[in-house]
Amino acid sequence: MTEAPADYPLSGLKVLDLSRVLAGPFAGRLLADLGADVVKVEPPEGDVTRFWGRVKGGVPGFYHQQNAGKRNISIDLRAPGARELMLDLVRGADVLIENYRPDVMGRLGLDYEVLSQANPRLIMLSISGFGAGGPESRRPAYAPIVHAEMGLIARQARRNGVRRTDLPLSVADTNASLHGLIGLLSAVILRQRTGLGQHIDIAMVDATLVTDDQFHYEAEGSEDTMDLPPDIWETGAGPILVSADFRYLFRQLTTKLELKDPGEGVADLDRKIALRRAAVGELMMGLTDWEKVTAAMAAMNIAWGEVRDGARLREQPTLAHRGSIVDLDDREGGTRPIPQSPYRFSAARSGVRGVAPHRGEHNAEVLAEWLGLDGAKAAALREAGVLSADADRVS
């Protein structure tokens, strides 16, 4: 992958991405989309996400989505000589991302105190479940653990009247990634004034809490003051979510679409609500195509959305218009989809710039560009077990 042109905002920023799974790799992926030279430093056993998703061209789907646009150098950080190689790379880096448990980098001899001595300008982003230095800092934490600890699973079950299950996306990871990026880019700006780097400690629990817009209800015991939750209705065209309190929706239907009130004169409240809901359900089923659905919702000026399966997102009009899903080379003669990053600048570019790398694919290339080492040195490091690569994909 060539260096990003100058009209990418982060062109020239050099990033070492030692992270794995999601919270760190997602942050690195977005930095790459914004033009940074992101080098994923992957262990010989590989990122665990190389086992997740459909494999195309030797690259599984989950790994592909979170690591597109990066280069890859595979280092066994426990091997003799690996620490020295990492310190050499750090001397030329602007940013280092890692999401090990807080004690791991220290045990490898690569904690921030050591790295900042090698490069005082280095900005290090550390993401962990419970942050550094606290009573739970050494607890392993994937997103579902944080979803459970931070009340999200219990809330989902209570409000929907269902059994307790995990959320269908790893929001604890991606929130930590995005807050990590805010801290990281703030540190880049601060470094312009001070000349010094920073160590940013992001705890997934903190990131989840601060982005939980429903927390105040539980903290203050005030869920009874909430609006009624939105309803999902079956129409003749398909299911839709209507973002309106049922009482408001019913009022709009009776005044704008002339729905008759079957509950008029009914004294029992539960019976009245049941009759009204049945009438709304019948009206909705009478909307037999999307044009009728759209016209009805527009007449009431009510926000609504089609309840779509993820496999049909290419059909979503705005996503199609904005090019939000792009196709990359799948390394076996075809293409595969990937979500585009959401940044749309008025006078700059961003976006995914290349396929996800094989493990060790850029060993020689990165060592040559970052350290000025020739191919013989890279080969010697591989022979010594410091470097490795996917044997069936990288020569």
Side-chain angles (χ1 to χ4, degrees):
M1 186 179 62
T2 58
E3 183 176 346
D7 58 351
Y8 281 77
L10 300 184
S11 179
L13 194 77
K14 298 172 73 173
V15 179
L16 292 170
D17 180 0
L18 277 69
S19 63
R20 69 267 190 256
V21 190
L22 179 53
F26 182 49
R29 154 74 201 280
L30 294 180
L31 291 174
D33 281 13
L34 289 165
D37 178 11
V38 180
V39 174
K40 185 177 180 75
V41 180
E42 192 168 357
E45 63 271 19
D47 190 320
V48 68
T49 59
R50 288 193 181 273
F51 297 98
W52 300 352
R54 177 170 296 169
V55 177
K56 290 189 174 183
V59 178
F62 196 103
Y63 181 89
H64 155 76
Q65 181 168 324
Q66 306 307 329
N67 293 282
K70 302 177 187 178
R71 296 193 288 179
N72 189 294
I73 180 170
S74 183
I75 302 177
D76 184 350
L77 294 176
R78 298 157 296 190
R83 179 176 179 273
E84 290 70 23
L85 177 61
M86 276 302 307
L87 290 174
D88 286 341
L89 290 167
V90 162
R91 290 184 181 97
D94 294 292
V95 171
L96 185 145
I97 301 171
E98 61 91 13
N99 63 345
Y100 294 110
R101 277 181 273 183
D103 62 324
V104 171
M105 291 294 282
R107 287 193 278 112
L108 292 169
L110 295 170
D111 56 17
Y112 183 68
E113 182 177 354
V114 171
L115 299 181
S116 63
Q117 289 175 2
N119 179 1
R121 292 177 55 82
L122 181 73
I123 295 165
M124 180 172 172
L125 170 61
S126 296
I127 303 175
S128 61
F130 298 94
E136 300 181 294
S137 62
R138 297 186 65 179
R139 282 184 64 183
Y142 292 103
I145 307 302
V146 178
H147 299 162
E149 289 275 0
M150 302 309 294
L152 303 186
I153 291 175
R155 181 190 303 155
Q156 174 180 251
R158 183 177 65 255
R159 291 189 180 179
N160 296 329
V162 299
R163 69 184 183 90
R164 290 183 287 273
T165 59
D166 190 27
L167 311 183
L169 74 169
S170 299
V171 65
D173 277 317
T174 50
N175 275 346
S177 295
L178 295 175
H179 284 293
L181 285 174
I182 292 170
L184 187 160
L185 295 176
S186 298
V188 170
I189 294 172
L190 181 60
R191 187 176 64 184
Q192 294 173 354
R193 300 202 303 267
T194 67
L196 297 174
Q198 297 280 334
H199 185 198
I200 304 160
D201 169 25
I202 295 287
M204 291 164 64
V205 291
D206 287 342
T208 302
L209 180 62
V210 76
T211 50
D212 181 0
D213 65 292
Q214 300 292 294
F215 169 71
H216 69 95
Y217 288 118
E218 296 178 11
E220 298 179 345
S222 60
E223 281 194 327
D224 59 310
T225 68
M226 294 171 52
D227 288 342
L228 292 177
D231 287 306
I232 293 177
W233 297 94
E234 291 291 338
T235 75
I240 64 171
L241 182 145
V242 177
S243 185
D245 185 306
F246 176 75
R247 293 163 294 192
Y248 177 76
L249 171 64
F250 189 79
R251 186 162 61 249
Q252 291 296 95
L253 286 168
T254 56
T255 57
K256 301 293 178 61
L257 296 186
E258 301 181 347
L259 176 68
K260 300 300 183 184
D261 182 1
E264 188 173 353
V266 176
D268 181 77
L269 180 60
D270 290 342
R271 175 65 176 159
K272 179 182 290 189
I273 292 172
L275 288 170
R276 288 176 172 176
R277 282 190 168 275
V280 173
E282 184 177 352
L283 182 147
M284 292 290 186
M285 286 304 297
L287 305 174
T288 54
D289 56 52
W290 290 114
E291 288 76 14
K292 291 179 180 177
V293 172
T294 301
M297 297 301 123
M300 297 184 291
N301 193 28
I302 280 179
W304 67 282
E306 179 183 348
V307 179
R308 298 175 183 268
D309 290 327
R312 295 181 49 237
L313 288 184
R314 283 188 183 273
E315 303 169 16
Q316 210 285 333
T318 298
L319 293 184
H321 171 73
R322 292 174 66 85
S324 301
I325 300 174
V326 296
D327 291 301
L328 297 184
D329 181 4
D330 67 1
R331 296 187 175 228
E332 55 184 34
T335 61
R336 67 191 314 181
I338 190 169
Q340 185 62 282
S341 51
Y343 315 112
R344 305 292 188 271
F345 295 98
S346 62
R349 282 197 288 167
S350 70
V352 60
R353 296 187 295 114
V355 299
H358 297 304
R359 187 177 59 82
E361 181 173 354
H362 305 100
N363 285 345
E365 180 178 298
V366 170
L367 293 185
E369 290 184 15
W370 282 46
L371 304 180
L373 302 182
D374 59 23
K377 180 61 175 176
L381 288 169
R382 186 166 176 179
E383 182 68 23
V386 175
L387 298 178
S388 62
D390 289 329
D392 58 342
R393 296 288 174 179
V394 178
S395 59

